[in-house]
Amino acid sequence: MNTAQTLEGLAFHNCNRCPLGKDRKHPPIPGCSPCPMGEVRLVVVSAYPATEEVKSGQSLFPSPGKSVNAGKILQESLHGISKELGIDMYKLTYRTNAMKCPTRGRSGDKLTQPREVCKGWLLAEISEVPPGVPILLAGSDAARSLLDLPLYDNRGVVHYYGNHPVVITVNPIEVERGTRFTYSPTGNTVASPPIVGSIPWLYMRDMKILGNLISDSLSWTQRSEGAQQLSLQSATREYGESIGGLP
């Protein structure tokens, strides 16, 4: 796995500038990508490291076996985009968290300082990916960390951080919690179609917007290798126009 150079020094691994760092039992979890930083074509930011991430030392690490976590849902979501684009987007994705240490039960205002402290690390990571690469902010902590915006009033449209188009959506683990399952004739559980307005439904629509942005950015890369600014045709589309119908 490849990590931003900024997160490979002692300053990151010994960081204790907030309560999460001062009494942690594990080192901070850096972002990572299967490909070199210069080849990254998507950045995904979630909230903070969960159990599997702490065990593996990798942000948004997919859970093994049949268990489900945010990393596995993200992997499956990117698989759907990959099928449409004909390219393995998971291998081109830099996965990271707004906060680099587990929160250990802290929530709300108690996470304001950790988000602010870790924002410096997050910005350093983003600075190492190519210009114009789309960013997915998954969850309220990620949205507040990078853009200082609440989630539900700002998802469904394209924002910008510098020249990076940004999509805000729910944390992937909320998708699993909001998905209804039914039994098929073979005895296997299958996901039911999402209810209009439900969390899985909103997430699917956001991922369609993201897929459009990735498609545009890849097309631009092929047309103009080495250019410094993306020209994204879908960046100004309104929500209904960019998704092209219901999931």
Side-chain angles (χ1 to χ4, degrees):
M1 282 291 174
N2 297 277
T3 298
Q5 292 294 315
T6 311
L7 305 190
E8 292 184 351
L10 292 176
F12 173 72
H13 292 288
N14 293 335
C15 179
N16 61 357
R17 292 181 289 169
C18 79
L20 299 185
K22 291 178 180 178
D23 60 356
R24 65 170 178 259
K25 297 180 180 179
H26 304 277
I29 308 297
C32 60
S33 171
C35 68
M37 296 297 290
E39 298 176 12
V40 168
R41 291 296 175 262
L42 173 65
V43 175
V44 178
V45 185
S46 189
Y48 53 82
T51 302
E52 293 299 333
E53 295 165 88
V54 172
K55 289 180 180 179
S56 66
Q58 297 179 25
S59 295
L60 288 166
F61 185 80
S63 58
K66 295 183 179 180
S67 60
V68 177
N69 68 349
K72 178 172 285 188
I73 294 173
L74 171 67
Q75 186 180 46
E76 293 174 354
S77 301
L78 293 180
H79 178 67
I81 294 176
S82 298
K83 288 177 64 177
E84 293 184 5
L85 299 179
I87 186 172
D88 190 344
M89 280 306 304
Y90 191 74
K91 292 183 178 180
L92 300 176
T93 298
Y94 186 81
R95 316 187 308 266
T96 191
N97 284 296
M99 290 166 282
K100 310 305 184 186
C101 295
T103 60
R104 298 187 302 283
R106 294 179 174 89
S107 61
D109 292 342
K110 294 182 179 180
L111 295 181
T112 300
Q113 184 185 4
R115 277 201 310 266
E116 291 176 350
V117 168
C118 279
K119 184 175 182 177
W121 299 122
L122 177 61
L123 297 185
E125 291 175 287
I126 293 173
S127 71
E128 294 190 30
V129 303
V133 166
I135 299 173
L136 177 67
L137 301 179
S140 58
D141 284 308
R144 291 189 181 279
S145 176
L146 185 63
L147 299 181
D148 196 23
L149 293 174
L151 190 158
Y152 284 103
D153 292 336
N154 291 284
R155 52 152 305 281
V157 294
V158 178
H159 304 271
Y160 276 88
Y161 173 74
N163 60 8
H164 295 277
V166 180
V167 174
I168 296 174
T169 191
V170 298
N171 191 299
I173 197 61
E174 297 298 330
V175 177
E176 191 272 338
R177 293 168 181 166
T179 301
R180 297 178 302 130
F181 293 92
T182 57
Y183 286 94
S184 69
T186 60
N188 297 323
T189 56
V190 295
S192 302
I195 299 173
V196 174
S198 66
I199 288 178
W201 185 81
L202 296 174
Y203 178 78
M204 289 174 65
R205 294 170 80 94
D206 294 338
M207 293 304 287
K208 286 188 176 181
I209 297 175
L210 180 67
N212 287 338
L213 290 172
I214 294 172
S215 177
D216 286 346
S217 67
L218 290 174
S219 297
W220 170 87
T221 301
Q222 294 168 354
R223 292 194 309 267
S224 182
E225 191 70 32
Q228 295 300 306
Q229 177 68 40
L230 283 177
S231 175
L232 298 172
Q233 297 177 354
S234 65
T236 58
R237 294 175 190 164
E238 295 201 2
Y239 182 47
E241 296 173 334
S242 64
I243 61 171
L246 298 178

